[in-house]
Amino acid sequence: MQPLTCVPQLMSQESFRLADPVQPEVPTSVRTPRRALSASSLNAYATCERKWYFRYVCNVVDDPGSSAASYGTAFHEALEAFHKVYMRPNPAEETAMRRDLAAQLDRVFADPDAKFSHAVERELQRRRAIRTAERYIDWLLAEARLHPFTVVGCEAHAPLAIDGYDFTGYIDRIDRDDTTGDVTIYDYKTGSIAESAKEYLTDVRAGTEFQLPFYYYARSQSGEKVVRLSLIPLKDSLTPVRPVAIEITPLVEKDLDKARTRMGKLAATLIEGSQDVYRVATDPDACTYCAYTLSCRNRPVPADEKFGR
Ligand code: SF4
């Protein structure tokens, strides 16, 4: 009988050949695909060039989404549907308004396209949104009592060309004052926002924030008198809704103008040029909700993570 053996059979020298040594790839610069840019994409670029590269150039790394993002999308959808019905918020309709906004939130949070990690998370976020919506209606009615207005746009398309480069975006809400005809542009914020107009304008001047300047020029170009830009916080269900309002003054216009100039320059750099290196963020806070952390080997490491290693 043949004895069992654990020694593998050696292959003859002729049966295989070593592969040729791999040559290192020659680095090449990357060009941005030519398409309309958005103010939020430039915000992303200003925060972290690498994030921008992953999202807008590679377009291959799948964003798994997050509970915070789903909460934001659902809230925006509900408010859009709500204001298409309630275009002239009227304190006499308060009960119906509260009921209908809650119903819109129930609808969007029940949609399977709203991705939450599990049913409990979905329910908690739905309840949070309904409580926040109560605060929103409080604020809306107070505004309507002070100076009646009409909602003239929800998720309004806002195209704008700057220095020959196309930009595009969608404005959450546009109101027209019923007495003066003046326009206010609103951006709903379900995440963290600047705490004051001063803080927001500091970011505008620093060239890291473009959203409201972009909306301002997109609407002003058609002859509308935009007198106010406003961020509406919809994150915290326990505190009253107090928008961060930026009144348009000659001084503020100078800041907005700087942002527009910077947008044109950035568009030229991104679209006409090519880039060898997309630098990572320097502040680890930028990575907290980034969808690309697993693909990003050079990201800044927070101090507590460094300590744990
Ligand atoms: S993980 Fe951080 S450094 Fe990397 S792409 Fe995201 S934000 Fe940028």
Side-chain angles (χ1 to χ4, degrees), residues 48 50-51 54 280-281 286-287 290 292-293 296 299-300:
C48 174
R50 188 72 56 92
K51 186 195 278 189
F54 282 136
V280 291
C287 312
C290 179
Y292 311 108
T293 44
C296 184
R299 71 188 165 94

Side-chain angles (χ1 to χ4, degrees), residues 219-254:
R219 293 306 290 196
S220 300
Q221 68 174 349
S222 54
E224 275 178 338
K225 190 179 171 202
V226 180
V227 297
R228 192 175 302 107
L229 303 166
S230 194
L231 304 170
I232 304 188
L234 296 172
K235 182 183 179 191
D236 188 350
S237 62
L238 301 175
T239 53
V241 166
R242 287 208 184 90
V244 174
I246 298 165
E247 306 292 333
I248 305 297
T249 63
L251 220 53
V252 167
E253 266 189 319
K254 274 191 185 167

